[in-house]
């Protein structure tokens, strides 16, 4: 059976070329991308001759020590990576960027996303004699590049990029250049920035460019790659078979509110989803709107504004709980020890509350929070979700890849409302989401990848197809039957 847990899910990548403090910039850039991955971090540097790297487990500040940074000080070029904690293998050997030394060159690769044809490519490569050291799909691209008969690295990269499918971005460092690449649907984002001294940068999100005092140059679009070297910066296409479908989950949950993707600021989009949600699913006799910190605060403020209700801080999040924090025992949890979130009793007591969250995946968060608010004295809790029902797994790098873990794959909003103990539950419509993001892109779904809400997979399913089909739930099948419009376009999925 296919191993569903990719090692390179929703991560953050960074790159900078030709700067006297390249490693330090990579460190700062990665720090601003920390929300994209807390399991580990790495930086690889070069000086047009040697490639060296440092990496470690945990948050950036734990992963890379001042001593390790000192080691990287003399180098002018750097790429960096923060890794998302998936249930995949957790050892240091999986912390990127990966560095490969060959007799004639060295290549470092940092990767965000998931290849959906990694299994079959790997099988083909193994049949040709390739030996893999890890279960990471990143190794696949290195094998493809090294086995290519193309005369230059750039041509080998183009050939390799044309063989991989899915949602992905890369930052690649060689002795001669820094490369960035984006999948043919631009599912995962990658932006180019420029520092005041003229050095170019690559970053998964524009917030990294901003915090370094850089200027945004452009996003790398579907099917494009960029070469940054001593001659400057050049963007090229590796394929013309593109169909822009930017991950809606970047806007809904992953990206930092100050980032801008395809010209749309993430906070502004989230606020708009909240406004639209208030129009689509109002709550009668509500006293206030509360957002689940942090990712839902923008949407909650939009809901409150549109509904003319006070926006209150009814929940407080301890900002210092890293993933490595020791969790309380079950006995302490039963006793009510809450590490991450607390309800503000004086605010919620006796009130009718609209609780806005960005998404429901398994349903555990909503259930916990509704209970917490009720225990704090809330009268009614009406849950409003600023994205559509998360009905279908995603295979493009957001670590939600099995139907079994999706509550909406099996239960209706009414059933979920009851399960989480809410007084009502409603979701944003698919059209509401697309209108709220409002990309200036002429493509299906307004240029967005909304596969988790529609079951329409813009990059196909490849290795995952058989398993996906076999595991479709009754509710998913019914949804597909009721929405033929999602499955009848050329190049799109037919079930
Ligand atoms: P759940 O508790 O499983 O229903 O997860 C929903 C919560 O997790 C929401 O509050 C989201 O902010 C957050 N979330 C949404 N998508 C993801 C994801 N891919 N990985 C981690 N957390 C997520």
């Amino acid at each position: 059976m296919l191993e569903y847990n990719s090692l390179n899910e929703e991560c953050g990548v960074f790159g900078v070329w030709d700067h006297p403090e390249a490693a330090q910039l990579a460190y700062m850039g990665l720090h601003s991308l920390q929300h994209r991955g807390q399991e580990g971090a790495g930086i690889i540097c070069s000086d047009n001759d040697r490639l060296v790297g440092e990496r470690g487990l945990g948050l950036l500040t734990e992963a890379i020590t001042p001593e390790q940074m000192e080691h990287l000080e003399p180098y002018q070029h750097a790429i960096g990576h923060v890794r998302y904690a998936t249930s995949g293998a957790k050892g240091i050997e999986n912390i990127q960027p990966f560095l490969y030394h060959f007799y004639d060159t060295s290549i470092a690769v940092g990767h965000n996303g998931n290849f959906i044809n990694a299994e079959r490519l790997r099988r083909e490569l193994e049949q040709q004699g390739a030996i893999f050291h890890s279960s990471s799909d990143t190794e696949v691209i290195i094998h493809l590049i090294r086995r290519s008969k193309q005369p230059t690295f750039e041509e080998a990269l183009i050939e390799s990029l044309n063989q991989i499918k899915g949602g992905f971005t890369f930052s690649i460092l060689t002795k001669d250049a820094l490369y960035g690449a984006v999948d043919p649907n631009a599912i995962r984002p990658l932006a180019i920035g420029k520092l005041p001294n003229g050095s170019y940068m690559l970053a998964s999100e524009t917030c990294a460019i901003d915090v370094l005092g850089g200027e945004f140059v452009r996003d790398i679009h579907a099917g494009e790659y960029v070469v940054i070297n001593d001659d400057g910066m050049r963007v090229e296409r590796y394929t013309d078979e593109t169909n822009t479908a930017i991950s809606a989950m970047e806007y809904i949950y992953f990206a930092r509110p100050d980032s801008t993707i395809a010209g749309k600021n993430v906070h502004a989009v989230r606020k708009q989803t909240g406004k639209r949600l208030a129009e689509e699913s109002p709550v009668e006799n509500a006293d206030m709107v509360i957002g689940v910190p942090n990712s839902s605060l923008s949407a909650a403020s939009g809901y409150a504004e549109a509904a003319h209700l006070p926006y209150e801080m009814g929940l407080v999040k301890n900002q210092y709980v890293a993933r490595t924090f020791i969790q309380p025992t079950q006995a302490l949890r039963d006793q009510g020890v809450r590490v991450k979130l607390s309800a503000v009793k004086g605010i919620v007591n006796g009130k009718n509350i609209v609780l806005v969250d960005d998404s429901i995946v398994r349903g555990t968060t909503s259930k916990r929070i509704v209970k917490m608010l009720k225990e704090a004295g809330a009268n009614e809790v009406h849950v409003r979700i600023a994205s559509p029902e998360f009905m279908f797994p995603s295979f493009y790098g957001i670590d939600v890849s099995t139907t079994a873990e999706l509550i909406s794959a099996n239960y209706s909003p009414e059933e979920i409302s009851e399960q989480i103990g809410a007084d009502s539950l409603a979701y944003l419509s698919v059209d509401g989401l697309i209108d709220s993001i409002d990309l200036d892109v002429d493509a299906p779904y307004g240029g967005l990848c909304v596969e988790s809400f529609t079951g329409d997979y813009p990059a196909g399913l490849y290795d995952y197809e058989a398993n996906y089909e076999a595991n479709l739930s009754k509710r998913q099948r019914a949804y597909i039957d009721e929405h033929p419009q999602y499955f009848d376009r050329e190049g799109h999925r037919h079930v």
Side-chain angles (χ1 to χ4, degrees), residues 84 249 253-254 295 357-366 398-400:
Y84 182 80
M249 278 312 281
Y253 170 75
F254 275 109
S295 51
D357 201 354
D358 57 86
S359 53
I360 290 183
V361 180
R362 294 166 188 84
T364 41
T365 308
S366 303
I398 62 164
D399 191 28
V400 183

Side-chain angles (χ1 to χ4, degrees), residues 1 10 18 47 51-52 61 123 131 187 192 201 238 258 275 287 306 342 359 365 370 388 413 426 453:
M1 201 193 100
E10 193 61 29
D18 193 22
D47 57 359
L51 268 75
V52 299
T61 48
R123 207 174 308 137
I131 296 165
I187 294 173
I192 305 171
M201 292 179 284
Y238 63 86
D258 54 335
K275 284 187 178 175
D287 296 310
S342 316
S359 53
T365 308
V370 171
F453 315 121

Side-chain angles (χ1 to χ4, degrees), residues 18-295:
D18 193 22
H19 193 285
E21 290 179 293
Q24 202 64 36
L25 285 170
Y27 189 91
M28 299 293 167
L30 291 180
H31 190 248
S32 74
L33 298 173
Q34 185 81 81
H35 58 285
R36 297 183 74 86
Q38 296 100 42
E39 193 193 334
I43 298 174
I44 306 277
C45 289
S46 112
D47 57 359
N48 291 92
D49 178 29
R50 261 160 33 95
L51 268 75
V52 299
E54 294 289 351
R55 61 183 174 175
L57 291 167
L59 293 174
L60 182 68
T61 48
E62 309 161 311
I64 303 184
T65 62
E67 293 71 35
Q68 286 174 300
M69 285 303 288
E70 234 169 75
H71 176 214
L72 300 177
E73 227 169 68
Y75 299 87
Q76 301 84 49
H77 320 302
I79 61 171
H81 191 266
V82 283
R83 186 174 175 234
Y84 182 80
T86 69
S87 34
K90 289 207 184 336
I92 182 115
E93 66 281 4
N94 292 304
I95 303 303
Q96 299 196 26
F98 290 149
L99 175 54
Y100 300 90
H101 294 294
F102 303 102
Y103 73 91
D104 56 347
T105 190
S106 296
I107 305 171
V109 187
H111 167 209
N112 167 211
N114 188 34
F115 302 166
I116 52 176
N117 64 337
E119 283 255 319
R120 58 185 77 181
L121 283 175
R122 195 184 166 113
R123 207 174 308 137
E124 282 165 26
L125 285 161
E126 281 187 18
Q127 279 162 2
Q128 294 161 23
I131 296 165
F132 283 83
H133 292 284
S134 74
S135 54
S136 159
D137 20 350
T138 310
E139 240 188 300
V140 173
I141 186 127
I142 282 293
H143 276 287
L144 291 173
I145 291 171
R146 279 304 281 184
R147 279 164 181 268
S148 168
K149 301 275 185 287
Q150 297 294 331
T152 65
F153 179 85
E154 190 172 336
E155 286 162 290
L157 177 65
I158 294 170
E159 188 181 85
S160 307
L161 289 169
N162 273 292
Q163 292 177 65
I164 55 181
K165 310 288 175 198
F168 55 82
T169 66
F170 286 109
S171 68
I172 298 176
L173 189 65
T174 68
K175 287 183 217 174
D176 310 311
L178 165 66
Y179 299 84
V182 167
D183 66 80
N185 300 99
I187 294 173
R188 307 258 73 90
L190 189 62
I192 305 171
K194 196 175 186 181
L195 287 162
N197 75 337
S199 304
Y200 283 101
M201 292 179 284
L202 293 176
S204 287
E205 287 183 39
T206 60
C207 65
I209 296 169
D210 292 336
V211 301
L212 298 176
E215 168 200 336
F216 169 75
V217 176
R218 58 168 289 191
D219 291 305
I220 305 179
H221 300 149
E224 286 183 341
Y225 69 95
V226 58
V227 189
I228 298 167
N229 56 24
D230 291 342
D231 298 331
M233 186 270 290
R234 171 166 63 84
V235 178
E236 308 278 357
R237 290 176 82 97
Y238 63 86
T239 174
D240 288 326
E241 284 172 38
T242 59
N243 167 30
T244 299
I246 297 167
S247 172
M249 278 312 281
E250 290 283 348
Y251 291 102
I252 294 165
Y253 170 75
F254 275 109
R256 229 169 78 152
D258 54 335
S259 286
T260 294
I261 308 167
K264 298 291 172 177
N265 167 252
V266 171
H267 165 74
V269 161
R270 288 181 186 164
K271 203 165 167 195
Q272 189 53 40
T273 60
K275 284 187 178 175
R276 177 72 174 247
L277 185 58
E279 289 160 18
E280 292 183 358
S281 299
V283 175
E284 269 178 45
N285 303 321
D287 296 310
M288 63 178 67
V289 180
I290 288 173
V292 180
N294 293 325
S295 51

